[in-house]
Amino acid sequence: MQLGEVFTPNNPNMRSILIIGAGLSSNALIKYVLKIAAERNWFVTVADAALENAQQKVDNHPNGRAVWLDVMKVNDRRELIGRADVVVSLLPAHLHLEVGHDCVKLKKHLITASYVSQEMYRLGDEARDRELIFMGEMGLDPGIDHMSAMQAIDAIKAKGGKITAFRSFTGGLIAPESDDNPWHYKFTWNPRNVVLAGQGTAQYLEDGKLRYLPYSRLYKEKRNINIANIGNFEAYANRDSLLYREVYGLANIPNILRGTLRSRGFCEAWDALIQIGLTDADFPILHSGEITYHELMDAYVNKYSGGSVRERIAQMLGEEIDSPVMEKLDWLGLFSKKKIKLPNATPALILEHLLRDKWKLKASDKDMIVMHHEIEYSLKGEKRQFLSSMSLKGKNAEDTAMAQTVGLPMGIFVKLVMEGKIQSRGVQIPVMREVYQPVLEELKEFGIVFHESDEKI
Amino acid sequence: MQLGEVFTPNNPNMRSILIIGAGLSSNALIKYVLKIAAERNWFVTVADAALENAQQKVDNHPNGRAVWLDVMKVNDRRELIGRADVVVSLLPAHLHLEVGHDCVKLKKHLITASYVSQEMYRLGDEARDRELIFMGEMGLDPGIDHMSAMQAIDAIKAKGGKITAFRSFTGGLIAPESDDNPWHYKFTWNPRNVVLAGQGTAQYLEDGKLRYLPYSRLYKEKRNINIANIGNFEAYANRDSLLYREVYGLANIPNILRGTLRSRGFCEAWDALIQIGLTDADFPILHSGEITYHELMDAYVNKYSGGSVRERIAQMLGEEIDSPVMEKLDWLGLFSKKKIKLPNATPALILEHLLRDKWKLKASDKDMIVMHHEIEYSLKGEKRQFLSSMSLKGKNAEDTAMAQTVGLPMGIFVKLVMEGKIQSRGVQIPVMREVYQPVLEELKEFGIVFHESDEKI
């Protein structure tokens, strides 16, 4: 058997996987899938609009090839999808639907890490009719959060417990050894999403009552979260806490909250940026191409007369001039005489541009993922609390914990589908035992381990 | 000459005007244009998607006809436009552009009261090449504000004055005799725009420095505006103050501000609605179809424990329980046990729905338009202030001051164009003397009169 014969993707005897998108966070996924492909004689095609991205990730692996793909070119896209058995889409969320339609038509399974849109759910019947699984929310958050929560929920229910509270928190953070700025934060995920996080109204349940938090109070009303053996954090509420009650089997639960973890002190300082006006993404600042950060800040505090811009910002915020919040603002360079140089930019875009530079991972930096569930339940007249926590550090700026925790669940699920071990069909998220059990089990081999405790309260 | 012969719109000897849109605020315009058409033997076609709207406005006038038009039906639209000499579009702003393209192609003049979009400005060269005038911002605000400001600016410059400050304020308010609610406000304009007003960042100039106000401080930092012989008001800054410096000929002015007038006490209470979270238009409230206003408010103040919902809202806002702000919130019914009954609605939509009912004009209610300019200038070493103010009351809920002040400038301008008295070509706003002089002069006949003062300061 000659190499050239075996490893061509057109070899009809070789089963194959298509990964669309080879961006920053695809490392761990592609590495994992190439490895299992070599073991099982599968073939992996990695397609990206930037061929060098795909080539770098495939790295001449004998079971892989890199191809150039403009995903808007329908025929090219369909040709690639048509040759695959399973398709993984790492495209931006709004492009999954096109791929979904192709997968229905061409009868291919589809896996993504993105939130499943209403439009995608509408493909459910067609996917089920054609014996296909379209698995969404198969990353970290959403993804591992669903799986680890459902494992705990099912176990508590199985022993007869009645769940009265579910709270779940996840954060993409920086490892203590790489934490060298006063915000104790660096970017490991889409900066734009971080800048806009929380806009809207957070909705959750407390003591059986609906709770709404508008953006203007979201970061002010953060809560402290202490996680044994991992650390002390704070969390702000996500917008989507109520969305998963039904699918988690917690329809009548009186307490449910999903939140995002940050280091202590982050939320108060981020709220200062909101109060100043720097997260507004609606309308551009007319002079943003010409002015300095100092002038930008000055323009926000005209009402507060006297003193330096820094003093007037402190006055507006009700902060001491050398408070931790002011120190964080200062460290960002918001009072510097440097030019912004972004013509016609919204405040949010100016802030994002600044943070991309200040919060960039250094090559040797390690990121850290933390996930924590708190489940209260009653069992035989006893009130109990189940805690489950996971943390994982990255190796460096290339090989991040974020890329591993987002990519590995998809990779493992690809393997399960290729091996015919998944019976579920239709558009799904990973809440069923046949998915979470083997995925969580294999994730342990990569250090993604949940530590659990269960005690009377 | 027989009636049937003369008054058919296809009579090629009869010049004609097309008005697209016969909604609430078209009354004054259509009435004016029908009257001048009768005097000059012109014909007026009023087209609307609801034929009865158009019929009601035309009211069997011998020089007019009402036609049904779905403006998205390109051929129907073009046929009507092709027969007219001048087209007035009262469509929602985003539909003007289609009409603009038709008017270029069919060589017709176009008049609107809406803000001129960047896309519309791009039609300027073509319109000019074809000897057409596309006049936008020809209503009240924008419209009469441009014209009255430019008349004052040109007069001050003509006598050698150097302008150092321009501030302009306009409000669509309720006349004192019809003011029967604690907000001292009722809707005379698009309720959705009122609910969303101010979102983004207001930008203006003060003492030569840029000033930015984010939404969260916009209504807090209102300013009091006292207008001689009209009344005492307050104003919040508009987003667009900087946009008109060039076109007003004030490129290097150190002070420029445009603002919206409200009755005293309005801004503080509106800011309370913002603080609660009721103006968020980004994301729907999941349970809005089932809960009451009382439950909605309760869900916003979970952090503030103890006492009634009303007490906790007061606590969150830092208000006394019976303060004027709390009285205004109470009057809206925000603490009532009535069901909201709007499934999946954003807070802003819930608020708009409530206000549409509470702030509705009664049939006999009179609205009131107030406009006020403050111009500071130096002349022969003297610092002087020029003030110019206008107020107009409506007759009732049908015949509003808003409809008159928006419609009459367009109507008068239609006449000027039909009579060949306008030389300007291209896409314009009404800042040139050949426009503002005759329009402002004729507006006086309708009681739209500016009272001016000019004194040393």
Side-chain angles (χ1 to χ4, degrees), chain B residues 53-240:
Chain B
N53 276 358
Q55 285 172 328
Q56 190 202 334
K57 302 289 155 67
V58 173
D59 195 20
N60 293 314
H61 192 288
N63 289 63
R65 65 161 181 162
V67 300
W68 177 84
L69 173 67
D70 175 350
V71 77
M72 303 312 288
K73 295 206 166 144
V74 180
N75 291 339
D76 291 5
R77 190 180 72 212
R78 290 195 184 145
E79 196 192 326
L80 281 177
I81 292 173
R83 293 181 188 177
D85 296 286
V86 173
V87 177
V88 180
S89 171
L90 302 180
L91 293 166
H94 66 281
L95 295 174
H96 291 322
L97 193 64
E98 296 301 312
V99 175
H101 282 291
D102 294 344
C103 286
V104 164
K105 190 169 294 177
L106 300 165
K107 290 198 68 171
K108 307 299 176 181
H109 303 294
L110 173 64
I111 301 163
T112 86
S114 301
Y115 284 98
V116 178
S117 66
Q118 290 303 315
E119 291 75 20
M120 189 65 97
Y121 272 120
R122 285 191 207 111
L123 296 182
D125 288 344
E126 283 185 280
R128 191 174 291 108
D129 286 350
R130 293 172 185 230
E131 290 286 309
L132 299 172
I133 175 86
F134 281 15
M135 181 60 80
E137 309 193 9
M138 195 65 201
L140 166 66
D141 169 17
I144 296 177
D145 58 346
H146 293 325
M147 292 188 278
S148 51
M150 285 310 301
Q151 188 171 54
I153 290 167
D154 285 348
I156 291 167
K157 284 184 173 175
K159 64 184 176 180
K162 183 174 157 42
I163 296 172
T164 56
F166 174 83
R167 300 184 192 92
S168 175
F169 305 95
T170 306
L173 305 165
I174 187 80
E177 56 267 43
S178 302
D179 175 3
D180 53 16
N181 78 51
W183 288 81
H184 311 302
Y185 187 79
K186 298 187 184 185
F187 283 129
T188 55
W189 201 236
N190 186 336
R192 181 153 183 80
N193 290 355
V194 173
V195 169
L196 301 183
Q199 302 203 0
T201 304
Q203 304 172 43
Y204 59 98
L205 275 168
E206 198 167 281
D207 298 333
K209 295 178 76 171
L210 290 168
R211 301 304 188 190
Y212 303 147
L213 262 182
Y215 186 50
S216 60
R217 293 202 299 281
L218 181 66
Y219 288 86
K220 286 182 175 64
E221 299 193 16
K222 51 89 181 158
R223 54 183 72 200
N224 289 330
I225 308 289
N226 301 331
I227 308 176
N229 304 315
I230 298 181
N232 297 332
F233 304 93
E234 55 192 34
Y236 61 87
N238 295 353
R239 221 161 49 214
D240 65 359

Side-chain angles (χ1 to χ4, degrees), chain A residues 252-294:
Chain A
N252 296 312
I253 195 170
N255 293 281
I256 189 163
L257 174 66
R258 287 162 53 90
T260 298
L261 290 173
R262 290 286 178 260
S263 290
R264 288 284 166 88
F266 181 95
C267 290
E268 190 185 9
W270 190 266
D271 187 59
L273 297 177
I274 296 172
Q275 283 186 60
I276 292 166
L278 287 169
T279 62
D280 168 38
D282 285 346
F283 293 97
I285 292 285
L286 280 183
H287 294 77
S288 59
E290 305 134 42
I291 63 174
T292 65
Y293 290 99
H294 189 269

Side-chain angles (χ1 to χ4, degrees), chain A residues 174-352:
Chain A
I174 186 80
E177 56 268 43
S178 302
D179 176 4
D180 54 13
N181 78 52
W183 288 81
H184 311 301
Y185 186 80
K186 298 187 184 187
F187 284 129
T188 56
W189 202 235
N190 185 339
R192 181 156 183 80
N193 290 356
V194 174
V195 169
L196 301 184
Q199 303 201 1
T201 304
Q203 304 172 42
Y204 59 99
L205 274 168
E206 198 168 281
D207 299 332
K209 294 178 77 170
L210 290 167
R211 301 306 188 188
Y212 303 148
L213 262 182
Y215 186 51
S216 60
R217 292 200 299 281
L218 181 67
Y219 288 85
K220 285 183 177 64
E221 299 193 16
K222 51 92 181 157
R223 55 181 72 198
N224 289 331
I225 308 289
N226 301 332
I227 309 177
N229 304 316
I230 298 181
N232 297 331
F233 304 93
E234 55 191 36
Y236 61 85
N238 294 353
R239 220 160 50 214
D240 64 1
S241 296
L242 303 180
L243 290 180
Y244 295 104
R245 283 177 303 168
E246 304 283 340
V247 72
Y248 280 12
L250 301 174
N252 296 312
I253 195 170
N255 293 281
I256 189 163
L257 174 66
R258 287 162 53 90
T260 298
L261 290 173
R262 290 286 178 260
S263 290
R264 288 284 166 88
F266 181 95
C267 290
E268 190 185 9
W270 190 266
D271 187 59
L273 297 177
I274 296 172
Q275 283 186 60
I276 292 166
L278 287 169
T279 62
D280 168 38
D282 285 346
F283 293 97
I285 292 285
L286 280 183
H287 294 77
S288 59
E290 305 134 42
I291 63 174
T292 65
Y293 290 99
H294 189 269
E295 286 168 310
L296 175 69
M297 297 298 273
D298 191 13
Y300 277 121
V301 285
N302 58 311
K303 194 192 162 199
Y304 304 86
S305 53
S308 67
V309 168
R310 195 184 150 139
E311 282 166 344
R312 283 180 283 131
I313 289 282
Q315 193 189 337
M316 190 269 283
L317 295 170
E319 293 283 334
E320 296 295 321
I321 186 77
D322 54 358
S323 74
V325 166
M326 291 304 297
E327 187 202 351
K328 291 186 183 70
L329 300 186
D330 202 9
W331 180 86
L332 289 179
L334 287 172
F335 306 114
S336 84
K337 303 272 170 84
K338 219 175 108 182
K339 291 231 178 197
I340 295 171
K341 286 187 188 157
L342 283 175
N344 215 32
T346 64
L349 192 65
I350 295 170
L351 180 61
E352 179 191 330

